[in-house]
Amino acid sequence: MAQETTSFARYDKKGYESQVAALRLNGEAVVTNIKSMKRTFLSVSLEGSNVAAGIDGTMQYDKDDLRGYYCDQVDVTMSLDSSAFTLRTDSPQTTSGVSSVTSSSQFQLDVNAGTFGPVPTTGVSTGLVIGTSFSRSLEDWKAVNLSDGKRMNQSYRMAASEGAAYETPTDLIDMSAKGQIEGCPLFHVPDLSLANMPLMSTGIFATDKILGPSTVNLTVTVTGHFVRIEKTFELFVVKPDVIRKPWTWTYKFPVTIPAAD
């Protein structure tokens, strides 16, 4: 067996009006060659990565009738330029209504038997374990897994505000009886929509052959969606001006990964 670990890290900022968003990208890719099984595994983890809508944890506009810019969605994809690899497992899977999420992409290898499979959730595991498992809080957010056999694809989406479920920016308008008495103010957004929204993507690619002396290129793409909503009245009817000036930030980062000897 041979292993090669490649770590990568980037920190970048992007301004929009007077607000500055930030992306902290930390990652690790581990190539494991199992000669007796004639297989190569490539595990990837973004543990320690996060997106902040405002580097100081605040929004440019934070009033009852105007909020923004807050982050309500982050899309993460990871793919390899080698057709020899297929995606065997990735995480997080689609979640709903949970505050703590575990991202676990691990295989237990039985080298003698030439088999591999998920790490047992109970009992004592034996054999070689590759991959990563860690937990983070996704309070008021959810994960949606859209991966296919070649590409990891997770979408992290805001799922609730302080007062209601969230699907679109108009859900921030408090239309309850109490809210209407108070002028239908906008709910506050969760803390993760302002700062340190964790990226939890992990996965394992594999081939049915040994990856010889070469390199493979991993492309990590992170797209943050940032929203502003303004609420006005016209003839006593609430009129939301949603995403008048929307903006997205797509950050693409290539990583060259050497094969294990």
Side-chain angles (χ1 to χ4, degrees):
M1 184 194 78
Q3 279 191 326
E4 182 77 27
T5 300
T6 301
S7 299
F8 51 93
R10 286 290 187 275
Y11 179 77
D12 203 1
K13 298 183 293 184
K14 187 176 181 67
Y16 192 82
E17 296 188 22
S18 63
Q19 189 168 327
V20 180
L23 167 65
R24 186 180 304 278
L25 187 64
N26 287 298
E28 185 176 83
V30 180
V31 176
T32 305
N33 276 331
I34 310 293
K35 295 182 179 179
S36 62
M37 297 175 64
K38 297 182 178 179
R39 291 185 182 274
T40 297
F41 299 90
L42 196 162
S43 62
V44 184
S45 171
L46 293 186
E47 183 177 4
S49 301
N50 59 67
V51 172
I55 57 174
D56 59 356
T58 64
M59 295 179 288
Q60 179 176 351
Y61 309 101
D62 196 6
K63 300 185 293 184
D64 284 348
D65 60 351
L66 176 61
R67 297 214 192 280
Y69 294 86
Y70 62 93
C71 182
D72 72 347
Q73 183 171 328
V74 182
D75 301 319
V76 177
T77 64
M78 289 192 277
S79 60
L80 301 174
D81 67 347
S82 172
S83 60
F85 283 92
T86 57
L87 181 62
R88 299 302 178 91
T89 185
D90 74 309
S91 192
Q93 294 299 306
T94 299
T95 64
S96 180
V98 294
S99 59
S100 180
V101 174
T102 297
S103 182
S104 182
S105 297
Q106 292 184 305
F107 282 149
Q108 178 175 280
L109 309 183
D110 187 332
V111 177
N112 293 328
T115 60
F116 65 92
V119 175
T121 56
T122 59
V124 178
S125 62
T126 60
L128 174 67
V129 175
I130 63 171
T132 305
S133 180
F134 64 93
S135 299
R136 292 289 184 273
S137 171
L138 283 185
E139 188 75 32
D140 296 325
W141 277 65
K142 64 182 179 181
V144 179
N145 189 295
L146 303 168
S147 301
D148 54 33
K150 300 297 292 185
R151 184 181 69 163
M152 292 175 54
N153 186 356
Q154 281 96 27
S155 181
Y156 302 89
R157 301 174 184 176
M158 182 174 149
S161 67
E162 66 167 358
Y166 181 94
E167 289 290 338
T168 68
T170 56
D171 293 329
L172 287 189
I173 302 174
D174 185 357
M175 296 298 294
S176 67
K178 178 176 179 294
Q180 292 184 55
I181 293 173
E182 297 175 348
C184 301
L186 299 174
F187 291 122
H188 291 282
V189 301
D191 291 341
L192 291 183
S193 298
L194 302 179
N196 298 327
M197 168 59 208
L199 306 181
M200 302 180 60
S201 301
T202 63
I204 299 177
F205 298 86
T207 73
D208 57 1
K209 62 182 180 180
I210 296 297
L211 189 64
S214 62
T215 60
V216 62
N217 295 308
L218 170 72
T219 299
V220 182
T221 304
V222 180
T223 300
H225 302 258
F226 303 91
V227 179
R228 186 184 102 176
I229 177 171
E230 183 173 8
K231 177 218 65 182
T232 59
F233 280 96
E234 183 174 310
L235 297 177
F236 303 102
V237 176
V238 177
K239 296 198 68 174
D241 183 2
V242 179
I243 322 179
R244 180 194 296 176
K245 296 181 179 178
W247 65 286
T248 60
W249 180 16
T250 298
Y251 188 88
K252 185 173 291 187
F253 180 57
V255 183
T256 299
I257 303 170
D261 294 331

